[in-house]
Amino acid sequence: MATAQFEPAEYVSGPGGKGKISKVARYGWILRDRPGEFMEIDKNDLMIDHSYQREKVLIYKVREIASNWSWAGCGCLLVAMRPNGSFWVFDGQHRVLAARSRADISLLPCLVFECAEVTQEAAGFLVSNGERKPVTAAAKFRALVLTGDEAAMAVQGVFDRLGITLSEQPSRAGELKCIANCLHFASVDVNMLERVLKACLSLCTSEPIVKDVLQGIYWIEKRYGLVSDSRFMNRLCNLSCGEIMASIAKFAAAEGKRGDRVCGTAILKLVNKGLRHKFGDDADED
């Protein structure tokens, strides 16, 4: 199904279809404030008002920005200039704090807006943080691949070899969304990730690879090394993804949590059902 394309236009037909009139006039669109002015401001002159900003500073985020500073990544801070001439950051407090950790940075690029009241700053904070769509894990991963990030390229190599596609909305076999798990598992052992994904593909022959299944099979492989066991794989692939997800949901409800161990244990119990010689810890029950 083709997606409709949005074609922006400044004018529409006037009343009665006569002439052209701007959309601003036709629909009564508002202009909240005036354009900002670009300035470079000393990092120590930039202040933060916690009456409307988040009080909890993410220390790990500040350290990450400070230790790997990028001017392109920094972009422009959004700053309010109050009537007394003071500068208050309403978007970029972590970047300010990161810059204060570096002796080689003194001035920061800022887009400065004149604000008569703190309420204007707060409104700017809400707009800048509410209307900006966060970067998805998939988009971040693709960017990491393009920059040559070693871990991301290793995972992409596995995807290429197995014919796996990263998708924001996976709906078909060979697609997945859980890239954060893949990156984490690859950081432990990229070869094990490849074995696990190959097992997932053998199981999920008509549906995408879901996070719970990936986590569960990863835990089983890490703990018992079973995905290369043909007997285990035959038992696993005779199950449906629906059966597995139902088992995981039931076990997670009993445990009160999810995760690698819970998903893996649920899958293992389902594989072992009715077996005399069981796999994993269940073998001790004989």
Side-chain angles (χ1 to χ4, degrees):
M1 181 178 178
T3 302
Q5 298 296 312
F6 175 66
E7 295 291 343
E10 298 168 332
Y11 297 92
V12 292
S13 298
K18 297 179 180 179
K20 295 286 186 180
I21 185 172
S22 75
K23 287 183 176 179
V24 174
R26 178 71 176 83
Y27 302 120
W29 288 351
I30 63 171
L31 190 61
R32 296 187 183 185
D33 39 36
R34 293 187 295 175
E37 177 184 351
F38 177 78
M39 298 175 64
E40 288 189 316
I41 302 175
D42 189 292
K43 62 187 179 183
N44 295 310
D45 290 337
L46 293 167
M47 293 178 280
I48 299 162
D49 190 333
H50 289 294
S51 67
Y52 62 84
Q53 288 229 46
R54 56 179 71 88
E55 291 187 17
K56 186 176 180 181
V57 173
L58 302 178
I59 302 300
Y60 78 90
K61 186 175 181 180
V62 173
R63 289 175 178 166
E64 182 180 296
I65 296 171
S67 63
N68 190 31
W69 186 270
S70 165
W71 285 111
C74 175
C76 266
L77 282 67
L78 301 184
V79 175
M81 184 173 69
R82 294 184 180 177
N84 64 0
S86 58
F87 299 109
W88 297 80
V89 177
F90 63 85
D91 185 64
Q93 69 163 320
H94 288 92
R95 284 168 282 168
V96 172
L97 296 174
R100 288 178 184 168
S101 300
R102 297 187 60 115
D104 57 346
I105 296 175
S106 57
L107 300 177
L108 289 172
C110 302
L111 197 57
V112 181
F113 301 84
E114 291 186 15
C115 290
E117 299 177 350
V118 176
T119 53
Q120 285 182 274
E121 293 175 36
F125 170 77
L126 290 173
V127 171
S128 63
N129 285 274
E131 293 185 354
R132 182 183 303 141
K133 187 177 181 180
V135 177
T136 64
K140 185 176 181 180
F141 172 74
R142 294 187 184 101
L144 286 171
V145 171
L146 288 174
T147 60
D149 179 83
E150 186 175 346
M153 291 185 71
V155 172
Q156 185 61 57
V158 172
F159 287 178
D160 291 342
R161 287 191 292 276
L162 298 180
I164 291 174
T165 302
L166 178 62
S167 173
E168 297 283 3
Q169 295 181 317
S171 59
R172 296 178 295 183
E175 295 182 341
L176 59 72
K177 182 180 181 180
C178 44
I179 186 61
N181 296 89
C182 292
L183 285 167
H184 172 64
F185 297 159
S187 71
V188 178
D189 186 339
V190 69
N191 293 320
M192 181 163 61
L193 170 67
E194 186 161 357
R195 294 194 301 273
V196 169
L197 285 173
K198 190 174 181 180
C200 289
L201 288 173
S202 297
L203 171 65
C204 306
T205 56
S206 58
E207 53 271 295
I209 299 170
V210 297
K211 180 180 177 180
D212 287 347
V213 170
L214 175 65
Q215 286 183 298
I217 295 178
Y218 171 80
W219 182 82
I220 290 169
E221 174 63 8
K222 185 178 180 181
R223 188 175 177 90
Y224 304 111
L226 288 173
V227 299
S228 58
D229 186 317
S230 59
R231 176 171 166 260
F232 172 81
M233 286 303 300
N234 285 337
R235 292 282 299 182
L236 178 68
C237 293
N238 279 330
L239 299 170
S240 69
C241 285
E243 288 178 284
I244 288 176
M245 293 304 296
S247 178
I248 290 173
K250 182 178 179 180
F251 199 74
E255 291 282 310
K257 59 183 178 180
R258 261 179 162 80
D260 299 354
R261 182 190 65 81
V262 170
C263 294
T265 302
I267 294 173
L268 197 59
K269 286 187 176 297
L270 197 59
V271 170
N272 281 332
K273 187 176 181 180
L275 281 182
R276 178 177 176 80
H277 300 291
K278 302 180 186 295
F279 298 101
D281 292 337
D282 285 353
D284 298 332
E285 297 176 4
D286 287 347

